[in-house]
Amino acid sequence: MRHDLCASSDIPQGKSKAIQAGDTKLVVYHLSDGFYATQARCTHMFASLGKGKIIEDKCVQCPLHRARFDIRTGEVSEWANFPPGVQLLNVVRGEKALQTWPVSEEDGRLFVEL
Ligand code: FES
């Protein structure tokens, strides 16, 4: 199902925004080559990536334990590493990619197909 997310001007380049689309909460990112969407919760321990930091026009860094995910693919580029010792949880919270969805832009609005 197609969802109208927001005006593209609502998300300046280098920024992101958490948006509810039907039953799914997403984070939409504006990178140098366009808009991307990932699931809103970190796959490590479910912190909100809407409060995450965009690193080098490529990754989102989780605000809780600093896992980094490639925004374009959802792949893990660095797993949880903060505070020291959090890696002990890896036995039960192993690396897991984010779900991603393509975002399209039409007439100044952003859409996602879920
Ligand atoms: S909740 Fe995101 S890295 Fe732990």
Side-chain angles (χ1 to χ4, degrees):
M1 186 176 185
R2 191 173 194 243
H3 296 271
D4 183 341
L5 299 172
C6 64
S8 47
S9 59
D10 287 349
I11 311 176
Q13 190 176 320
K15 301 290 184 191
S16 64
K17 182 181 171 90
I19 298 176
Q20 187 78 32
D23 294 335
T24 307
K25 195 161 187 188
L26 311 171
V27 179
V28 180
Y29 309 84
H30 188 177
L31 302 184
S32 60
D33 59 352
F35 293 89
Y36 297 86
T38 71
Q39 68 184 71
R41 294 284 171 188
C42 179
T43 53
H44 181 237
M45 291 183 74
F46 316 114
S48 173
L49 295 174
K51 297 188 171 90
K53 195 155 108 182
I54 296 175
I55 309 284
E56 294 173 358
D57 193 46
K58 180 176 170 59
C59 292
V60 57
Q61 177 176 280
C62 177
L64 196 53
H65 307 114
R66 301 184 185 172
R68 289 186 184 184
F69 301 89
D70 186 307
I71 291 166
R72 293 173 177 88
T73 65
E75 293 300 317
V76 174
S77 54
E78 206 172 308
W79 197 229
N81 59 34
F82 180 86
V86 75
Q87 294 91 339
L88 294 172
L89 289 172
N90 288 357
V91 179
V92 286
R93 303 300 311 168
E95 291 190 15
K96 187 176 177 196
L98 297 176
Q99 187 169 6
T100 61
W101 295 271
V103 175
S104 56
E105 186 177 12
E106 282 172 42
D107 299 325
R109 298 215 48 97
L110 300 179
F111 297 89
V112 71
E113 186 84 34
L114 299 179

